[in-house]
Amino acid sequence: MNSSIAHSDELRSSSLPHPTPIVFVVDDDISVRESLELLIDWAGWRPETFSSAQAFLARPRVLAPSCLVLDVSLPDLNGLDLQARVAARSDMPIIFITGYGDVPMTVRAMKAGAVEFLTKPFGDEELLSAIRNAIERSHTALDHEAEIRALQDCYASLSPREREVMALVVSGLLNKQTGGNLGISEITVKAHRGKVMGKMKADSLADLVKMAERLHLAPAPKI
């Protein structure tokens, strides 16, 4: 197994196993909350229900696969406004449910990232299918976050000089040019570059460039 494959396996394993997925339900109708709680539990997920947006927002965030089944009409903060509040939580896809809905409302919800917009009454399988899709997206988002955290940890292990060498190398400079920029010998650049490749677990320069892109590292100026 080459180092890039080993690194990929290591990153994937860092996010496994996932805990039981959580399906959050926010609806002010107690009968809806109770019926959805039974359905979600029957499907093998962990249901958590809330009667208002504020009650949901008070719940601490957890790192687990999840999705949010959200009513549009709520007593304090409506569903669309709640969606805006949690927009940064890409690991928690949103499924809207509503007793009434119009095209502008649906378009606004979908443009803001909702995965589904269901109008009551809807069938159990229709909702379960939407939840399965949302949970899959949540798994993917959490795995991506775990991979980025692993890359950040590797990058944090680099010395200041190694970071300088990495920045110049991934910008396309040769070892000799990198040395000229930093005022060090080509041999020293090669030594630092080797340490960078090892600490970042990069199998090739192409791997290292991709890692820098995923970490959103600013390109080094070519002097």
Side-chain angles (χ1 to χ4, degrees):
M1 181 183 294
N2 66 39
S3 60
S4 63
I5 295 175
H7 186 220
S8 177
D9 289 343
E10 177 183 332
L11 293 178
R12 281 195 296 270
S13 66
S14 66
S15 60
L16 297 173
H18 285 301
T20 301
I22 303 173
V23 180
F24 300 109
V25 176
V26 181
D27 195 304
D28 61 337
D29 187 331
I30 188 171
S31 64
V32 172
R33 294 200 305 272
E34 289 178 346
S35 63
L36 292 185
E37 183 174 14
L38 290 172
L39 179 65
I40 292 163
D41 184 64
W42 172 85
W45 301 305
R46 175 180 154 193
E48 289 194 23
T49 65
F50 305 85
S51 61
S52 69
Q54 295 296 351
F56 172 73
L57 289 171
R59 199 256 195 242
R61 183 177 179 179
V62 293
L63 284 178
S66 65
C67 70
L68 173 59
V69 178
L70 178 60
D71 190 13
V72 175
S73 300
L74 295 170
D76 49 3
L77 188 71
N78 71 44
L80 293 170
D81 289 336
L82 175 57
Q83 180 187 30
R85 291 275 192 98
V86 298
R89 295 173 61 171
S90 60
D91 59 301
M92 187 186 67
I94 295 176
I95 300 165
F96 274 103
I97 57 175
T98 182
Y100 65 92
D102 53 35
V103 173
M105 183 187 297
T106 304
V107 169
R108 177 181 169 186
M110 301 304 284
K111 279 188 173 181
V115 297
E116 191 60 83
F117 197 102
L118 304 177
T119 302
K120 302 173 185 176
F122 44 79
D124 289 353
E125 188 51 45
E126 187 177 11
L127 176 61
L128 291 176
S129 177
I131 292 175
R132 289 188 197 101
N133 176 48
I135 293 297
E136 280 299 314
R137 293 189 183 206
S138 181
H139 272 287
T140 300
L142 286 172
D143 286 344
H144 174 74
E145 289 181 9
E147 290 178 7
I148 294 300
R149 286 196 299 272
L151 284 176
Q152 289 171 337
D153 289 343
C154 290
Y155 186 72
S157 72
L158 301 181
S159 69
R161 177 63 84 188
E162 288 164 354
R163 292 182 189 182
E164 290 177 331
V165 169
M166 176 176 170
L168 291 169
V169 167
V170 299
S171 73
L173 294 188
L174 301 175
N175 290 339
K176 184 175 182 179
Q177 294 171 312
T178 298
N181 271 264
L182 298 177
I184 58 179
S185 70
E186 185 176 354
I187 293 177
T188 302
V189 170
K190 288 181 179 179
H192 284 308
R193 181 170 172 170
K195 290 181 179 179
V196 168
M197 298 291 283
K199 290 182 178 181
M200 294 301 296
K201 301 181 176 67
D203 190 49
S204 66
L205 176 58
D207 283 344
L208 196 64
V209 170
K210 290 177 183 177
M211 291 174 184
E213 290 175 349
R214 296 188 71 185
L215 289 170
H216 301 294
L217 300 181
K222 298 181 181 180
I223 303 173

